[in-house]
Amino acid sequence: MRFRICFTFLFLLASHYLLAQKINDSYRLNIKRASSEIIIDGVLDEKAWMEADVATDFFMITPMDTSFSQVKTEVRMAYDEENLYVLAVNHHAVEGDYIVQSLRRDFSFGQNDNFIFFMDPFDDQTNGFSFGANAAGAQWDGIMSNGNQMDLSWDNKWTSKVTNYEDKWIFEASIPFKSIRYKKGIDEWGINFSRLDLKTTEKSGWAPVPRQFPSSTLAYTGILAWDNPPPNAGTNVSIIPYVLGGATTDFESETGTQYKREIGLDAKIGLTSSLNLDLTVNPDFSQVEVDRQVTNLDRFELFFPERRQFFLENGDLFANFGYETIRPFFSRRIGLNVPIQFGARVSGKINKDWRIGAMTMQTADVEEDALPSQNFTVMSLQRQVGARSNIGAIFVNKQSLRYNPDAVDEGMPVYSEFNRNAGLEYNLASSNNLWTGKAMVLQSFAPDNTGNGFVHAANLKYASGNLTWEWRHEYVSESYTAEVGFVPRRGYYKINPSGSYLFFPKSEKILSHGPTVSSTFFWNTEGVKTDNATILAYNIRWRSQSRFMLWTAYDFVKLQRPFDPTNLGGETLPIGSEHEWFAWGTEYTSKPQSVFTYAFSTRMGGYFAGGKRYNVTADLGYRFQPYVAIAMAANYNQIELPEPWNTTSFWLVGPRIDVTMTNTLFLTTFIQYNEQIDNINLNARFQWRFKPASDLFLVYTDNYLPEPFGVKNRSLVLKFTYWWNV
């Protein structure tokens, strides 16, 4: 306990001494009210643009961060009573066609010529919005949290146009003030503009950003200076209804075809310019893109990110509390195999220092599973302290309505009456982003104290241009429970020191290279060592943006519960058995400029029970830009073990075809063959964005048995959504 208190004190002390004036406050772009109407056509011909101030003379971020960019970019901004306007002229530095994957929305940043800008409308260097496009006109939008984290699943109403010329391409956009949140009366926003030009492999920014950080890092934004505070968004109410029809057939249970006819709606109500109320009634998420399957040889549950729109805006207030394996709240637990009836959420900024989030969701009864209606409530409060740090609190409650204590299955309760979590955390982020970290505590509460437990964790990270190091420790008690969270492992102590160093040689081909070392130790609550994973790697990055890594690792595991090393549901290794092995492997990613791209990884060495494991993965891609992108992902595992397992091998193969006829008309077909779970999944999704944020979806899904080949289940859904501003 003394160690924990000292570590937390060091966090607070570090925050006190790491305060500083905003780094790039000398980079200022004045924004004026538009003196003429602006038509979004990707043409620089309006009077308002001729009179607007210009942001130019971008700084190179990569491959080096010590000079001006060789690729010229010019940016102008303006506004009127309803919209914020942006125009970027992206000049070519090298002759040749632009490089893009497709017209697919929210493209991969590193594989497209693009222009993206990052806004901090609260001027807190922590939260913001991002908009942009690639050189073919595919849109990008995301919501930002924790200084540079980007959630591209967020989607909102705005328009843009890209026009290509022989020597440049122009991006022009109109963003309604109703589509973003900002502090009322503020006349200075944080702003930065990012340009990636793959022909020169150069990434640049208007306000300089050190190369060890993403160009989106809000600690390094310049200032957008308004001639008057941004106009009030006025009545800000959006109604988003949907109508859905579909059919599902389960061939395995032979229950026939079930037809689905539903209506529902979401509503967004701006309580203030920075505080929003979201409502949903009978939501449906059938159009959400399917998760990419992975081979699971882990002893613990896997994590898949949230993609449903309702949970995303200001989602960091709820979902970012804790660490990736210690989350007291994980929204994908809500509506898991049960329908959501309705929900409400208030989230956003109260003032410069305070943010709040409160959400309640109600699910329906499920008679066949003997599950009652359940209520999920989560409340979060966050206060900024120092330059960019904050203190947060969270409370999570899952409550079963009409609780029946006699509902049991094989002697165990089917569900609990309630589960609650309360926690505090301190997030450290220095003004220059060199120091980051977190310290947190959590307490769970359950009926009869059976699930009452405690969590403490903390980390401290330093990242300079060459040197990065981090310390992290965790404690999760055996009785800690988070039924609405993601905590795959309980009853342990953990420490994880890590470090890396990069060399930047004066080479025409190699950009950087250097070693990375990380060691993770686990002990159970009785002090017995249960795990150790130590990895030593060497990384090389070429100026062409291709990458290579060679690694070797040592693993030790003392099993705390039975485990099948093939994860196929067969024989298990006993509790208390000890296993250790060495392994090595490689990873390579090709340069993104080619129309044919590829990546691979290899792994060979020891495994549980004195066995061997061999693994090869490959990702291949070919594009007929900008309309068609074809990809193939393959993963092969061969596990050699003593009897009764012997030799086991299985494939995971996933071809994917993206057809983007325009930047509003998409067809995605995704096939996944997973030999480990004996399933073939086919998912095809057609999307027509006939107006900004308004869509028609047609989604077809099949699941097959590989042998003998036959259909397990099949569904077809047609969904229409319309975004209506009241």
Side-chain angles (χ1 to χ4, degrees):
M1 178 62 71
R2 182 181 301 172
F3 173 75
R4 298 174 194 159
I5 294 173
C6 290
F7 199 93
T8 304
F9 173 75
L10 287 174
F11 265 76
L12 296 170
L13 188 64
S15 180
H16 176 76
Y17 284 106
L18 292 170
L19 305 184
Q21 186 179 11
K22 190 171 181 178
I23 296 170
N24 285 330
D25 60 358
S26 61
Y27 294 85
R28 301 177 67 87
L29 176 64
N30 297 312
I31 180 172
K32 299 178 291 187
R33 182 179 289 270
S35 58
S36 66
E37 182 184 6
I38 294 178
I39 306 299
I40 304 303
D41 55 7
V43 179
L44 178 58
D45 59 355
E46 287 93 350
K47 178 184 176 184
W49 289 135
M50 303 303 177
E51 296 177 350
D53 286 5
V54 182
T56 188
D57 295 329
F58 279 37
F59 283 85
M60 193 185 301
I61 300 174
T62 60
M64 306 300 291
D65 59 1
T66 55
S67 65
F68 284 103
S69 169
Q70 302 300 308
V71 182
K72 186 178 180 181
T73 308
E74 300 169 345
V75 185
R76 297 165 170 84
M77 297 189 72
Y79 73 96
D80 59 22
E81 199 61 31
E82 296 181 348
N83 300 298
L84 176 66
Y85 298 100
V86 182
L87 184 142
V89 182
N90 303 282
H91 295 273
H92 294 318
V94 176
E95 291 185 358
D97 295 334
Y98 55 69
I99 299 169
V100 298
Q101 282 179 302
S102 67
L103 295 167
R104 181 178 176 82
R105 190 182 183 91
D106 295 330
F107 47 84
S108 173
F109 175 87
Q111 299 186 38
N112 291 262
D113 286 342
N114 63 65
F115 169 83
I116 298 172
F117 64 99
F118 313 102
M119 296 189 300
D120 176 8
F122 309 107
D123 199 31
D124 61 4
Q125 304 177 66
T126 305
N127 305 284
F129 301 90
S130 175
F131 297 89
N134 69 12
Q139 289 185 331
W140 159 302
D141 56 1
I143 192 166
M144 301 180 65
S145 61
N146 288 350
N148 62 23
Q149 292 182 7
M150 188 83 62
D151 190 342
L152 296 178
S153 297
W154 179 79
D155 199 3
N156 219 307
K157 193 171 185 177
W158 62 290
T159 58
S160 67
K161 174 70 175 177
V162 165
T163 301
N164 280 273
Y165 301 86
E166 186 176 343
D167 60 340
K168 61 182 175 291
W169 58 277
I170 295 180
F171 163 79
E172 190 173 21
S174 169
I175 301 166
F177 287 111
K178 292 183 178 183
S179 294
I180 57 177
R181 314 287 170 245
Y182 53 94
K183 182 182 176 184
K184 183 179 180 181
I186 190 172
D187 58 6
E188 289 187 353
W189 292 8
I191 193 82
N192 208 355
F193 310 106
S194 170
R195 171 87 184 276
L196 179 63
D197 184 82
L198 289 174
K199 292 192 294 294
T200 60
T201 70
E202 185 180 287
K203 180 174 71 171
S204 57
W206 170 59
V209 180
R211 61 187 167 194
Q212 70 265 30
F213 301 129
S215 55
S216 60
T217 304
L218 296 180
Y220 288 90
T221 57
I223 293 175
L224 182 66
W226 297 76
D227 58 351
N228 289 294
N232 193 326
T235 302
N236 190 357
V237 178
S238 298
I239 306 296
I240 313 167
Y242 81 85
V243 179
L244 176 147
T248 301
T249 304
D250 191 331
F251 293 90
E252 289 186 308
S253 63
E254 299 181 349
T255 55
T257 300
Q258 306 293 320
Y259 295 97
K260 191 176 182 181
R261 294 175 292 272
E262 293 186 3
I263 60 173
L265 65 84
D266 289 348
K268 290 180 172 290
I269 302 170
L271 303 178
T272 70
S273 62
S274 59
L275 189 66
N276 205 58
L277 169 64
D278 291 276
L279 304 171
T280 187
V281 177
N282 193 31
D284 173 87
F285 307 107
S286 58
Q287 85 286 359
V288 174
E289 187 172 331
V290 297
D291 293 316
R292 180 170 175 173
Q293 295 182 26
V294 296
T295 298
N296 182 13
L297 291 173
D298 199 85
R299 291 171 289 151
F300 306 101
E301 179 186 10
L302 299 179
F303 179 87
F304 293 94
E306 178 63 86
R307 300 178 186 273
R308 297 172 293 180
Q309 281 291 319
F310 180 82
F311 296 99
L312 298 180
E313 186 169 348
N314 290 309
D316 65 291
L317 281 166
F318 312 109
N320 284 7
F321 197 100
Y323 289 99
E324 63 272 12
T325 56
I326 308 177
R327 298 285 188 205
F329 177 74
F330 178 40
S331 57
R332 286 187 66 141
R333 302 289 188 208
I334 302 175
L336 185 66
N337 300 321
V338 296
I340 298 174
Q341 293 178 313
F342 58 84
R345 183 183 63 173
V346 175
S347 63
K349 280 263 191 178
I350 300 177
N351 55 37
K352 184 179 185 300
D353 293 325
W354 290 94
R355 296 176 73 207
I356 63 166
M359 177 168 60
T360 183
M361 304 293 291
Q362 189 72 36
T363 62
D365 294 291
V366 183
E367 295 181 3
E368 59 268 26
D369 293 331
L371 287 176
S373 178
Q374 294 182 320
N375 178 263
F376 300 81
T377 298
V378 55
M379 294 180 286
S380 178
L381 184 65
Q382 188 182 94
R383 190 189 194 284
Q384 184 161 333
V385 293
R388 299 174 56 241
S389 305
N390 62 70
I391 297 174
I394 196 170
F395 175 74
V396 183
N397 182 54
K398 174 187 176 183
Q399 189 79 37
S400 297
L401 308 182
R402 296 182 296 279
Y403 172 67
N404 178 11
D406 299 324
V408 296
D409 182 18
E410 298 182 356
M412 298 297 293
V414 175
Y415 55 86
S416 63
E417 181 180 6
F418 67 84
N419 178 251
R420 296 170 186 141
N421 268 250
L424 291 170
E425 73 175 15
Y426 171 72
N427 289 284
L428 167 69
S430 66
S431 61
N432 57 10
N433 212 50
L434 292 179
W435 293 89
T436 55
K438 176 181 290 191
M440 58 167 287
V441 292
L442 283 167
Q443 177 71 43
S444 66
F445 305 90
D448 302 323
N449 299 325
T450 55
N452 291 8
F454 178 76
V455 171
H456 165 73
N459 81 297
L460 183 63
K461 180 179 180 180
Y462 173 80
S464 69
N466 298 92
L467 175 66
T468 299
W469 62 262
E470 182 176 12
W471 168 272
R472 177 165 162 177
H473 67 263
E474 300 173 4
Y475 166 72
V476 179
S477 70
E478 187 69 47
S479 57
Y480 176 75
T481 57
E483 293 181 12
V484 199
F486 182 81
V487 187
R489 184 168 184 160
R490 300 184 301 176
Y492 70 87
Y493 296 90
K494 170 186 172 181
I495 64 170
N496 176 208
S498 62
S500 64
Y501 193 89
L502 285 179
F503 300 95
F504 292 90
K506 294 181 179 180
S507 168
E508 295 182 358
K509 293 185 177 181
I510 295 178
L511 173 62
S512 64
H513 61 92
T516 297
V517 62
S518 175
S519 195
T520 305
F521 298 87
F522 286 87
W523 293 268
N524 64 21
T525 52
E526 297 175 353
V528 177
K529 187 175 78 169
T530 62
D531 299 79
N532 170 222
T534 299
I535 300 175
L536 174 63
Y538 205 89
N539 298 273
I540 303 174
R541 181 180 177 186
W542 282 267
R543 289 183 180 271
S544 65
Q545 302 304 309
S546 58
R547 300 167 182 261
F548 176 76
M549 180 174 72
L550 175 68
W551 61 266
T552 183
Y554 164 78
D555 283 89
F556 167 81
V557 175
K558 183 173 184 176
L559 290 173
Q560 302 300 290
R561 56 184 57 85
F563 174 62
D564 171 17
T566 66
N567 251 356
L568 294 173
E571 295 292 329
T572 59
L573 296 165
I575 296 176
S577 60
E578 296 185 0
H579 311 267
E580 63 178 336
W581 63 84
F582 290 91
W584 69 276
T586 61
E587 294 182 12
Y588 179 79
T589 302
S590 69
K591 64 181 183 180
Q593 299 91 327
S594 302
V595 293
F596 173 68
T597 57
Y598 59 94
F600 68 83
S601 68
T602 64
R603 187 260 188 213
M604 59 184 64
Y607 195 53
F608 286 93
K612 301 288 185 182
R613 179 186 166 206
Y614 305 93
N615 171 249
V616 178
T617 69
D619 290 276
L620 307 176
Y622 192 87
R623 62 180 185 268
F624 302 89
Q625 63 178 37
Y627 302 110
V628 179
I630 303 172
M632 168 67 81
N635 185 324
Y636 174 75
N637 277 276
Q638 179 174 306
I639 300 173
E640 299 176 357
L641 294 167
E643 292 185 351
W645 301 278
N646 299 315
T647 298
T648 304
S649 62
F650 41 82
W651 284 91
L652 174 62
V653 181
R656 176 184 182 128
I657 300 176
D658 276 325
V659 181
T660 54
M661 291 150 272
T662 70
N663 64 354
T664 60
L665 204 61
F666 314 104
L667 173 64
T668 301
T669 302
F670 197 14
I671 303 172
Q672 299 183 98
Y673 167 50
N674 191 333
E675 194 174 7
Q676 188 182 31
I677 62 173
D678 200 31
N679 187 70
I680 298 175
N681 170 254
L682 168 64
N683 179 266
R685 188 181 71 154
F686 172 81
Q687 178 185 1
W688 175 31
R689 174 145 290 188
F690 57 90
K691 284 190 175 181
S694 300
D695 299 282
L696 178 70
F697 294 97
L698 181 64
V699 183
Y700 176 79
T701 304
D702 255 351
N703 284 289
Y704 297 90
L705 282 167
E707 293 183 12
F709 189 79
V711 183
K712 292 181 180 179
N713 51 68
R714 176 176 292 157
S715 69
L716 180 67
V717 174
L718 179 67
K719 183 177 181 181
F720 172 86
T721 65
Y722 185 79
W723 188 303
W724 177 41
N725 287 334
V726 178

